[in-house]
Amino acid sequence: MTADDSFDDDDYPAYTMGRAAEMLGTTQGFLRAIGEARLITPLRSGGGHRRYSRYQLRIAARARELVDQGTAIEAACRIVILEDQLEEAQRINAEYRRAAESENPTTAD
C-alpha cells in the first residue's frame, strides 16, 4: 500500500484530534468523552497523540447528532454501537441469502 492508498482507506488514522474536532464541529473534550465511553478507540501516533480514521469520524458524527438532540452521551454511544451491530448483522444476513440463492436457484415453470 502506498501513502496515497492509505488516505483512501476508511480505517487509516489520518486525522489529529484537533482536525477531527474541527471537522465534526465539536470539541476535543467530546472526542475524549466518546473514547472514554468506548465508542471509538483512536490509534496513537509515535508521540502518543490520538489519530482518527474516517470511519471513526462517521461514528462520532452520529453520536454528536444524538447528543445534540438531547440524548445523554453514554446513551448516545450505546445507541450508535447497537446501530452499528445491527447494520453488520443485516450485511451478513444479506450475504448468506445471496449465497443460498446461488446454491439453490429457483426455477419458474
Side-chain angles (χ1 to χ4, degrees):
M1 180 181 284
T2 67
D4 289 336
D5 293 337
S6 297
F7 290 106
D8 291 333
D9 181 357
D10 256 5
D11 295 317
Y12 182 74
Y15 304 98
T16 63
M17 177 180 268
R19 179 69 179 128
E22 180 182 313
M23 291 170 69
L24 294 171
T26 191
T27 65
Q28 293 180 16
F30 175 80
L31 291 173
R32 283 188 207 94
I34 63 174
E36 289 170 10
R38 300 195 195 293
L39 177 61
I40 58 175
T41 303
L43 293 173
R44 298 283 182 151
S45 68
H49 300 281
R50 292 173 179 90
R51 303 288 294 201
Y52 297 88
S53 68
R54 287 188 306 205
Y55 172 75
Q56 289 173 323
L57 294 184
R58 282 196 303 274
I59 295 291
R62 176 64 180 130
R64 182 171 184 253
E65 287 175 18
L66 292 168
V67 169
D68 287 351
Q69 294 170 4
T71 306
I73 196 160
E74 296 82 12
C77 290
R78 185 67 182 139
I79 290 167
V80 173
I81 288 167
L82 291 170
E83 287 175 342
D84 199 46
Q85 289 172 343
L86 176 60
E87 183 179 321
E88 178 68 7
Q90 289 173 332
R91 184 191 62 75
I92 291 168
N93 284 340
E95 286 177 14
Y96 284 142
R97 258 187 251 111
R98 281 191 297 274
E101 289 170 1
S102 67
E103 289 175 7
N104 302 313
T106 58
T107 57
D109 291 342

